[in-house]
Amino acid sequence: MELRLEGIGRTVGAETWLHPMDLALRPGTVTVLLGATQAGKTSLMRIMAGLDRPDRGRVRVDGQDVTGLPVRDRNVAMVYQQFINYPSMTVRDNIASPLKLHRTPKATIDKKVRELAERLHIDIFLDRLPAELSGGQQQRVALARALAKNAPLMLLDEPLVNLDYKLREELREELSALFSTGDSTVVYATTEPGEALLLGGWTAVMDQGELLQYGPTAEVFHRPASLRVARAFSDPPMNLLAAEVAEGGARLRDGAVVAVDLPRQTSRALTLGIRASVLRPEARPGDLALPGRVELAEISGSDTFVHVHTAVGELVAQLTGVHEFELGTALTLHVQPTQVHVFDASGALLVAPQRREVH
């Protein structure tokens, strides 16, 4: 199914919820709507579903204008943040409900329900009511029901946000596998860059009701079109350092010059962006050295996040494994100049890190 938004926008009262935008989803793939809370993700999905009508622009499905068509007349499956199931129905009947509406033969329903329940690890709960299940299990039921509908368009609005960390990790892995085997065009809204990278496909980055960039997820991550995109697609936040054009590259506040090839007619003021994951204590030939002192070291999962105060600004390094650092001790972080993003005075991307070719 091809869903195309043409110049759509939405205003509520005096507030602009969605600025005019064009977006053509890639059929049969996963599109992640990535952005902070109130970036406009839910508003956009409601227009896609037919729950709301845009104030301007058109919505087209396979070339047909469906702008005014209500959700009941569209073949759309939705999963919300809340665990929405039919409370008086068993898990089995919840999953089967969209199949029964289409008068699917009972044998086919039983087979489909069993297959989906097994894939989502809820087959042992088929005869229970939703209230007897945990939050994660209830959300699995909602996902199974949406998948059973086999709609050409599936919309998921932050479906894992109300689950605990462990459950989110489990379901992320499972959803990635489930989506890769289906035929639906999937739209998945999230505030978490890690989810976008895991789900792959394509990513649309949103901020304050604007669509900032849309493209293959890996391309948007490695080549953010602007500082706004880089901020939205970095967790932990990208380290940003003030710099200016100098002979041989970009000069930092302490006078060190980063050897980057800048395009001609570059604005004098620059911002260098360094992802936390590319900073390291170990030195390598050609590195940019950033000496400083440890202000904080915290362990999260299997990584250690080290906060370092330097002459060029505050830095956060994400180190794999568990590391111990004494507060106040000297620590020099290193990075290859080829792993640095460069943005001009307006925030537009000038230089992106070199990527290794995979053969």
Side-chain angles (χ1 to χ4, degrees), residues 278-284 287 306 317-320 323 325 331-335:
V278 301
L279 287 167
R280 50 190 156 68
E282 305 83 14
R284 296 175 186 169
D287 271 354
V306 187
Q318 181 180 0
L319 309 179
T320 301
H323 303 264
F325 296 92
L331 178 66
T332 298
L333 296 173
H334 302 84
V335 63

Side-chain angles (χ1 to χ4, degrees), residues 34 202-205 213-225 229-230 233 275 341 355:
L34 176 64
W202 290 57
T203 290
V205 179
Q213 187 174 353
Y214 180 54
T217 296
E219 178 70 13
V220 177
F221 177 77
H222 290 289
R223 295 189 62 85
V229 175
F233 212 156
R275 294 197 189 275
H341 291 79
R355 295 178 62 187

Side-chain angles (χ1 to χ4, degrees), residues 297-313:
E298 52 187 348
I299 298 170
S300 177
S302 59
D303 292 331
T304 302
F305 294 86
V306 187
H307 299 248
V308 179
H309 175 77
T310 76
V312 296

Side-chain angles (χ1 to χ4, degrees), residues 223-354:
R223 295 189 62 85
S226 66
L227 268 172
R228 290 174 71 189
V229 175
R231 287 191 180 103
F233 212 156
S234 295
D235 184 21
M238 181 181 282
N239 295 291
L240 301 176
L241 305 177
E244 62 180 14
V245 175
E247 185 176 348
R251 181 183 292 110
L252 296 172
R253 287 192 311 208
D254 66 350
V257 175
V258 185
V260 289
D261 292 326
L262 299 172
R264 291 184 180 180
Q265 298 180 340
T266 298
S267 61
R268 184 157 186 82
L270 304 171
T271 299
L272 305 190
I274 306 175
R275 294 197 189 275
S277 58
V278 301
L279 287 167
R280 50 190 156 68
E282 305 83 14
R284 296 175 186 169
D287 271 354
L288 167 68
L290 299 164
R293 293 193 175 276
V294 176
E295 291 194 325
L296 176 68
E298 52 187 348
I299 298 170
S300 177
S302 59
D303 292 331
T304 302
F305 294 86
V306 187
H307 299 248
V308 179
H309 175 77
T310 76
V312 296
E314 305 299 317
L315 298 175
V316 178
Q318 181 180 0
L319 309 179
T320 301
V322 176
H323 303 264
E324 293 185 2
F325 296 92
E326 279 194 41
L327 302 188
T329 57
L331 178 66
T332 298
L333 296 173
H334 302 84
V335 63
Q336 285 283 311
T338 53
Q339 294 178 305
V340 174
H341 291 79
V342 183
F343 302 91
D344 68 12
S346 70
L349 180 70
L350 291 174
V351 179
Q354 297 177 2

Side-chain angles (χ1 to χ4, degrees), residues 25-34 156 171-180 184-190 192-205 213-222 233 355:
L25 298 184
R26 301 287 294 188
T29 65
V30 177
T31 288
V32 176
L33 299 184
L34 176 64
L156 300 99
L171 270 175
R172 278 179 189 144
E173 299 282 350
E174 292 166 13
L175 287 176
S176 180
L178 283 168
F179 295 155
S180 66
S184 299
T185 297
V186 177
V187 182
Y188 186 104
T190 182
E192 299 189 28
E195 283 191 350
L197 290 169
L198 181 63
L199 292 171
W202 290 57
T203 290
V205 179
Q213 187 174 353
Y214 180 54
T217 296
E219 178 70 13
V220 177
F221 177 77
H222 290 289
F233 212 156
R355 295 178 62 187

Side-chain angles (χ1 to χ4, degrees), residues 121-144:
H121 310 297
I122 51 175
D123 48 306
I124 62 173
F125 307 123
L126 284 173
D127 295 319
R128 296 190 189 181
L129 295 173
E132 300 176 275
L133 308 181
S134 69
Q137 291 159 355
Q138 290 185 54
Q139 192 65 310
R140 290 171 191 264
V141 175
L143 287 164

